[in-house]
Amino acid sequence: MTSSVWRGALILTGAAIAVKIMSVLYRIPYQNIAGDLGFYVYQQIYPFFAGAVFLAAYGFPAAISKLVAVRLAERRTGGAEEVFVRSFLVLAVFSGAVFVLLFGGAPWISNVMGDSRLAGPLKTVAFSFLFIPPIAVIRGFFQGNDQMSPTAVSQLFEQSVRAALIIGLTVYVVFHGMGPYSAGMAAGIGSSAGMAAASVVLIVYAFRNRVLFCQKGEVISFAAMVKVLTVDGLAFSVSSLGLVLFLLIDTFTVVPLLGTSLSEARVQMGVYDRGYPVVQLATAAAISFTLAFVPEMARAHARGDREFVREKSRLAIRLCFAFGAAGVTGLALIVRPFNIMLFQDASGSQTLALFGVTMLFSMIAMTTAGLLQALGETRRTFYHTWIGLILKGALNFILIPAFGIFGAATATVLAFAVIAGLNGLTLHKRTEAFFALSGSGRKLLAALLLMAGVVAIWQYGWASLFPGLESRLFASIKALGAVVAGAVAYLLALLRLGFFSKTELAAFSKGEKTKRSA
């Protein structure tokens, strides 16, 4: 893989991790300020503005970048710029329609969710969709040119504005005793303002690079553009939005199915929702890394370079297993102090540990979805995601009445496992890449066992020195120390055991083209 693509992958992945860290960090004080009831309100509206963010950040840009990359590879610059204009017009119509439906239908949607007071927060979230066209089109155009910096910078600006406004407005709302639903409206305002900030940043980039002054080229019809954005953009968004769509299902089903009073159900839902930001932190890296792969993989597929496609697919899958398995194991080992550190108490720790298993399956599902899109298999991933969503909904109705929020977490894990398996098998048929651990599974297991041993020793040592102490400060030291010690031990073990080949390490460090793995 060329150095520009590796740099782009690292830029997008680094930005995604930073953005998700900020997302987790602002949600922690938000939960601490607004309480579990306030966090419940936030999580109920979160799938809606997360949908706008994902469409603008991943789905539509990926589809547009693929079109642009293919045209530039064929030296059709005018055609690439025509994609820019047509896609903007199509997305403007789409976003306007969604805004009208969500804003006007907020009272009905909130009633279906079982809480009519959610209508106000939902209306504020609706404005986020108006900023999808400039964000998605400009990001897609630059990504198709292998320029990832505009996307990364705009993501950082977007999340910074969102986090600052949400925390600032929430403090104001709570200080003046306005209640959790007003805090939810503050979250909606902050989200819309964040996307407005991203739009401004990207428009500045576009003017500086004269993107908005397009030369006439090959005309792509509106019908063809609608088809591309629907098939590739929305389908990839559905695949990438898997976790958010699962949360959307939970918002409509968990509270009614718990069988308790509304006040008790809202608190339990707030505890259950602690798992989503933790899992999203891991999956964001997988999505962003894959997003940088899409244009280069599409070009390789177009020129018939099957070896390049196979090797890069194998590497992506091995990265998913390596870091997904580490995340699942690490969270299970430190879940109690980690829960106290982030959310003040240990409520729902078992549910959080189970929910953490989703990290591995969601990383595999989302990465394979991106790789399959580059190979022209977007519809398959779309169907697989819908199978998982239907399974999730069915399992919720079966498991929640019997096991409560633990049942909801179980449903999420099982449904994501099905999506990951279906995507993986499809990718394997095309590239023989999914079973990429056949020669290094033992190395991965050895590294995980070493990491687990180091974490266990750290935790035992702290528990021996301070028996029975569970203050938030102590839990934070215990959890963060375990994360650092375990991560260092794990990465050193992977390197020492040769989990990554020398050519792969060279590609990571120098951006050289990778050769066939040994």
Side-chain angles (χ1 to χ4, degrees), residues 161-195:
V161 172
R162 177 182 294 118
L165 281 179
I166 287 178
I167 295 302
L169 291 174
T170 300
V171 170
Y172 177 85
V173 165
V174 173
F175 181 78
H176 287 83
M178 297 180 186
Y181 293 91
S182 295
M185 295 182 68
I189 293 170
S191 175
S192 299
M195 295 192 71

Side-chain angles (χ1 to χ4, degrees), residues 83-101:
V83 168
F84 180 95
V85 176
R86 297 288 174 132
S87 59
F88 183 91
L89 295 175
V90 171
L91 289 183
V93 174
F94 166 81
S95 301
V98 174
F99 167 78
V100 171
L101 290 174

Side-chain angles (χ1 to χ4, degrees), residues 27-42 170 174 180 183 266-267 270-271 274 343-344:
R27 277 192 254 192
I28 294 167
Y30 185 92
Q31 186 270 347
N32 294 174
I33 296 167
D36 283 330
L37 179 55
F39 197 56
Y40 147 80
V41 176
Y42 174 87
T170 300
V174 173
R266 289 184 301 188
V267 172
V271 172
R274 296 180 183 187
F343 303 107
Q344 304 183 78

Side-chain angles (χ1 to χ4, degrees), residues 291-437:
L291 195 64
F293 273 49
V294 169
E296 186 73 5
M297 289 282 285
R299 284 192 286 265
H301 177 62
R303 65 175 180 264
D305 191 346
R306 299 185 64 181
E307 181 67 12
F308 181 94
V309 170
R310 187 178 76 88
E311 290 303 320
K312 296 307 152 300
S313 298
R314 286 175 59 88
L315 176 58
I317 294 300
R318 290 171 67 230
L319 285 169
C320 282
F321 273 102
F323 295 106
V328 171
T329 305
L331 180 59
L333 291 170
I334 66 168
V335 64
R336 184 177 178 84
F338 185 78
N339 200 5
I340 296 172
M341 177 185 74
L342 294 184
F343 303 107
Q344 304 183 78
D345 58 49
S347 299
S349 291
Q350 289 184 330
T351 301
L352 179 59
L354 175 62
F355 204 103
V357 179
T358 308
M359 281 191 283
L360 174 60
F361 294 127
S362 62
M363 289 181 74
I364 295 172
M366 294 176 186
T367 298
T368 51
L371 297 175
L372 287 170
Q373 185 200 16
L375 300 179
E377 295 281 2
T378 307
R379 292 186 182 183
R380 289 284 188 92
T381 65
F382 179 77
Y383 299 145
H384 295 164
T385 302
W386 273 107
I387 291 173
L389 291 170
I390 293 170
L391 179 61
K392 162 66 175 174
L395 289 175
N396 269 12
F397 279 93
I398 296 171
L399 298 176
I400 293 175
F403 303 102
I405 58 175
F406 193 82
T410 303
T412 298
V413 172
L414 293 177
F416 251 119
V418 169
I419 297 173
L422 292 173
N423 281 358
L425 289 174
T426 302
L427 183 66
H428 183 69
K429 289 179 181 178
R430 293 294 305 271
T431 66
E432 298 181 353
F434 187 59
F435 301 108
L437 293 176

